[in-house]
Amino acid sequence: MKTILRPAVIACAIAAAFPCLSQSTLASELSKLSAHQPTEDKASVDRVVIKGDKPTSLPTEIPTTIEGINAKDIEKTINAIDAEDALKYLPSLLVRKRYVGDYNHAVLATRASGTGNSARSMVYADGILLSNLLGNGASFTPRWGLVTPEEIQRVDVLYGPFSAAYSGNSVGAVVDYVTRMPEKFEAHAKLVGFSENFQEYGTDKNFSGKQLSGSLGDKQGAFSWWVNINRLDSDGHPIAFTNKLVSAGVTGNAGKAVTGAIAGKNPQGQDWWLMAATGQYHTIQDHAKVKLAYDITPTLRASYTFGVWRNDMNSSVESYLRDAAGNAVYSGDVNIAGKKYTINPTDMANSKNQLEHITHGLHLKSNTKGAWDWELAASLYDYNKDIARAPTVAIPSADAGGTGRITDGSGTGWNTLALKGIWRPNNEHTTEFGYQREAYKLRTLVSDTTDWINGAASKRFSAFRGDSELNSFFLQDAWRINPTWKTIIGGRFEQWSAKDGAISNASTTLAFGTRDENYFSPKAALAFRATDELTLKASVGRAVRMPTVSELYQGTVSTQTIVNNDPNLKPEKSWTSEWSAEQSLNDGKGLLRATFFHEDTDDALYSQTNTLVTPNITNIQNVDKIRTNGLELAYQNSDVIINGLDLSASVTYADSKIVKNDKFQKSVGKWQPRVPQWRANFVASYRANEQLTTTLGVRYSGRQYGSLDNSDSNAFTYFGFSSFLVADLRIRYKLDKQWSAAIGIDNLNNKKYWAFHPYTQRSVVAELKFDY
């Protein structure tokens, strides 16, 4: 598969900082990706130039490992329904996607950051920030819904915080989606259907859905436009299970006698009863995007993007418990095997979400390729509507009304501004510099309501608010010392502030003080072109990941005192380095890369229990030091053994340990949560002819832990974090010039595996596509 690991085809991007291919091979590959072009001097270190008509967050010079995939290879090899599916086989990456359309927990994990660390990566689409940096954790997933697979022209991934052009949130990786912009009239339509048979505990059902996507675009003289609409209607499998520890039961005959509870063990190996499947989300997601571009001059382009994403979600409950008459039981005192257990009103509760998020992006960029070029980029992400509803009283049936609470996040969002310049004083130097601003606003109001399904908000129950702002200046210079040596040196100065933070309960509001802090993060890289086929390179960079407004300002108020949060959290400070050797293979058709990476993170932000104080406090705290050493091997080659057979593979080993944590000594020497020791991917794609392509993909992840002290020894259960080995299959057939069809199976071997919630079991995907 040519571009799953992207070394040969993405040689253009790797060569942004460090060459790995001969000029003739690179030029051939670059012609396939119109976004890149090389310099003319064969003997010099090659350069990537991102064209002005391709909005991207990427700097011109990239001092780090980069991988990627383009639209053609996504279409051939991946059963892509959501935008994050494009990342499925890239080295060291994992998206915690629990079901099709997972909009609130699909966090990206990287080499030294797990799926609980959403704020340690950055995701962009056409220069618009999609990462939800209002918080850090499973519920702060990137806004994948603002991109559809049909829009994607290319995805690039930069590993590590080695470019001065990005804030400390880039410590794990930067993902950059570039969506289509036509050169002539285009029309596309795609219909997708999918179905999963899910069997877990007392649930054995089929969950299915469909997706319809359409796009139109054209370029007429200096003006071009693109419109994409998409509707996803998805029934996801249950993601949560009501449970009670056996030890919590009271021996006796009290409570309603019930049957149907499932015996099991929790992650700590304790016996428990599983009583219901909850969190079965039915989501209807609508996406609409308009992109406009105008060439003011042959070297200056202005572009504007407007996107809307709407989501209506209804969650349902399946109780396993039955009374003597066979009726489902949802609440109250029940008796199981001679013990009484109390099912609280919210243990088997439904929920509803009504979301409408809007984004704007403005881009103005020159592309003279002369001594000076400049760029202006601005974006806005607005929670125009963000309503969550849930009951607070016992319900007699799964869909009964009653009192509840409404959580309103309207007014929350973020905006960005970037002013960038490029100076090319001569052939040896390329200097990039700029000013960037990121501003985040959190507004959460939780209100009581008499009817959780349709009622209006009444009395305030709680509220959270806070603002943060990051103003940054960066500078980096790429110096081609001679035809075989190149260095990139830079730095980033950041001024961070947090203000207007407050936490409220029903009657009291407690405010926080203002914080202003400054940090500097140096970056450096060096590359040596040993031969036309072999490149050696090293990179080092510091990253400062600021606390998010959610980490600072979401807690509770008790007796006029703020609890469960710490507004004085320190930022995470990481020193990251990598050393790579890249060997070109098969006359430039393939590449073999070995990368050793190291990361020391001080004051890592995790939820933990502070055992140094009495009573113990559990909240977001700073973990003194986490150290990660690892090795990543990546291979890609085309036409292996026989014409048409493309192979790619990667293996990642990470030794990620907590080396100091004074507040919670039991965690010292334990594995960092959600970072497995081993990860691996393998993809074989065979083009039998111009019409037929078949692909087999295999994904592996080793054992993970969900707790800092690694006490969760039982991984294959609800709340557990397990290993997995799954295979995916895709067969695509081009019916004629315009029509194509595909069928695929994800999790072909029907592996049952967990990341707190259950992942998708065996699923069949079928699609029909029209391109004009």
Side-chain angles (χ1 to χ4, degrees), residues 10 12-18 35-37 46-52 54-66 122 124 126-127 154 156-167 170 173-178 363 365-367 373-375 377 418-424 430-434 436 474-478 480 486 488-492 523 525:
I10 213 166
C12 55
I14 296 176
F18 311 113
H36 303 92
Q37 67 183 50
D46 301 318
R47 175 188 299 178
V48 170
V49 178
I50 307 295
K51 290 176 63 176
K54 305 295 182 184
T56 174
S57 72
L58 301 184
T60 301
E61 303 289 348
I62 303 171
T64 183
T65 299
I66 182 169
M122 305 185 79
Y124 290 88
D126 300 322
R154 188 181 74 247
D156 295 318
V157 180
L158 280 64
Y159 292 77
F162 305 117
S163 173
Y166 295 103
S167 71
S170 68
V174 176
V175 177
D176 184 72
Y177 287 87
V178 176
H363 209 83
K365 186 174 183 178
S366 72
N367 188 35
D373 272 310
W374 60 274
E375 176 183 355
L419 303 172
K420 303 178 184 179
I422 302 176
W423 180 42
R424 308 178 184 93
T430 298
T431 302
E432 299 181 71
F433 55 92
Q436 296 167 333
F474 75 91
L475 173 69
Q476 71 176 33
D477 181 68
R480 292 163 185 81
K486 176 182 176 179
I488 299 179
I489 298 176
R492 183 179 183 88
K523 321 279 185 175

Side-chain angles (χ1 to χ4, degrees), residues 615-674:
N616 295 343
I617 296 176
T618 300
N619 58 2
I620 303 295
Q621 300 171 20
N622 290 112
V623 174
D624 296 310
K625 182 182 284 292
I626 297 176
R627 177 169 297 150
T628 303
N629 292 301
L631 177 66
E632 181 180 87
L633 302 177
Y635 165 83
Q636 172 271 325
N637 210 345
S638 299
D639 299 323
V640 180
I641 303 176
I642 59 175
N643 288 334
L645 178 60
D646 300 337
L647 300 179
S648 65
S650 67
V651 177
T652 304
Y653 169 79
D655 179 47
S656 188
K657 298 287 184 61
I658 300 169
V659 296
K660 185 180 180 183
N661 190 11
D662 292 341
K663 295 176 182 177
F664 188 38
Q665 284 288 338
K666 289 175 63 177
S667 67
V668 176
K670 303 300 174 61
W671 291 97
Q672 182 181 184
R674 307 196 189 190

Side-chain angles (χ1 to χ4, degrees), residues 382-396:
D382 178 32
Y383 283 41
N384 185 57
K385 182 179 183 180
D386 197 278
I387 301 294
R389 295 172 174 267
T392 56
V393 295
I395 55 178

